[in-house]
Amino acid sequence: EAGVTQSPTHLIKTRGQQATLRCSPISGHTSVYWYQQALGLGLQFLLWYDEGEERNRGNFPPRFSGRQFPNYSSELNVNALELEDSALYLCASSLQGGWDTQYFGPGTRLTVL
Amino acid sequence: DQQVKQNSPSLSVQEGRISILNCDYTNSMFDYFLWYKKYPAEGPTFLISISSIKDKNEDGRFTVFLNKSAKHLSLHIVPSQPGDSAVYFCAARINSGGSNYKLTFGKGTLLTVNP
């Protein structure tokens, strides 16, 4: 069974640009979660999608947004990039609303110059 | 405001000995706690969890203890093996209403098990 996949592995952008990160969940999983892990910090919850709807979001500004497609894959968009957005972005998936067991992808390393 | 704290950034133990990783939390509304393990260049993997209505959960070499009055949980690994060397994250779940769950993670503890 294929795990959670994320693309790209690395992404380099400059301040003010937009970044798009992609995530494919495990087959059969309908929930997708996005987390940010900045240097020296733990995982910070960003967004939760389930059945195509945004269910909850963490304490991040609106320039962090995303969507979930009918095939349950998901996209995270970060607009007007700032230097402090440089971080590892992790995507996880679970069965619907399965907060007790999330399966994580390897992450996308975003560097903002 | 760090609601989930892992105060030890690193821990080093000898193979075969017990590893104890600690986690403190401040929000009494957390109803579920999880431990994740993360190897370099990989995403975190779920290890073990415990509901707030229990005080202990065991799975093989891994045991999680919850002390609600102290708002403290710990992960015990016995016996420790070199393959256990990884970063361990403690996470706590809260329901902000209407199944609006959220996980809050600690900063992680790097465990090194020496052969």
Side-chain angles (χ1 to χ4, degrees):
Chain A
E1 180 186 273
V4 177
T5 58
Q6 292 185 245
S7 63
T9 306
H10 294 92
L11 189 57
I12 300 175
K13 294 284 186 178
T14 56
R15 256 172 34 179
Q17 285 189 313
Q18 180 199 42
T20 298
L21 290 66
R22 296 180 177 84
C23 172
S24 292
I26 290 172
S27 177
H29 286 186
T30 62
S31 280
V32 170
Y33 314 81
W34 286 96
Y35 294 89
Q36 181 198 66
Q37 186 182 15
L39 195 63
L41 296 177
L43 280 71
Q44 307 286 318
F45 167 68
L46 259 168
L47 290 158
W48 168 29
Y49 290 96
D50 184 70
E51 297 284 356
E53 302 272 336
E54 181 182 303
R55 300 295 184 185
N56 205 356
R57 66 181 291 132
N59 296 325
F60 281 85
R63 58 190 186 82
F64 287 84
S65 65
R67 53 181 172 165
Q68 186 178 33
F69 298 99
N71 66 353
Y72 303 115
S73 67
S74 178
E75 204 173 77
L76 173 69
N77 295 296
V78 188
N79 293 319
L81 284 166
E82 300 177 3
L83 295 177
E84 50 266 34
D85 297 332
S86 295
L88 179 68
Y89 289 83
L90 289 161
C91 169
S93 76
S94 75
L95 295 171
Q96 187 177 36
W99 280 88
D100 53 345
T101 308
Q102 297 180 13
Y103 296 84
F104 282 81
T108 292
R109 173 72 62 186
L110 172 64
T111 302
V112 183
L113 303 174
Chain B
D1 176 29
Q2 191 78 22
Q3 294 191 54
V4 177
K5 298 179 185 179
Q6 294 178 258
N7 292 318
S8 299
S10 63
L11 174 68
S12 183
V13 299
Q14 216 47 42
E15 181 179 5
R17 298 289 187 100
I18 183 172
S19 295
I20 300 176
L21 296 104
N22 293 304
C23 180
D24 296 296
Y25 61 95
T26 57
N27 194 333
S28 58
M29 299 302 291
F30 288 136
D31 67 348
Y32 206 82
F33 302 89
L34 308 93
W35 285 94
Y36 282 83
K37 179 169 74 173
K38 185 180 185 301
Y39 294 116
E42 294 182 15
T45 55
F46 170 75
L47 196 55
I48 192 170
S49 63
I50 188 167
S51 166
S52 60
I53 62 173
K54 297 192 172 185
D55 55 18
K56 177 182 175 181
N57 188 25
E58 192 171 351
D59 183 4
R61 297 186 297 113
F62 302 91
T63 303
V64 56
F65 295 93
L66 176 62
N67 182 334
K68 283 186 67 176
S69 60
K71 294 191 177 67
H72 176 84
L73 67 156
S74 60
L75 174 68
H76 292 212
I77 306 174
V78 183
S80 300
Q81 299 172 355
D84 296 329
S85 297
V87 176
Y88 289 78
F89 291 97
C90 167
R93 185 185 81 174
I94 192 168
N95 184 350
S96 52
S99 297
N100 287 329
Y101 292 108
K102 190 183 293 188
L103 274 186
T104 301
F105 284 78
K107 292 184 181 182
T109 297
L110 173 63
L111 173 66
T112 303
V113 180
N114 301 303

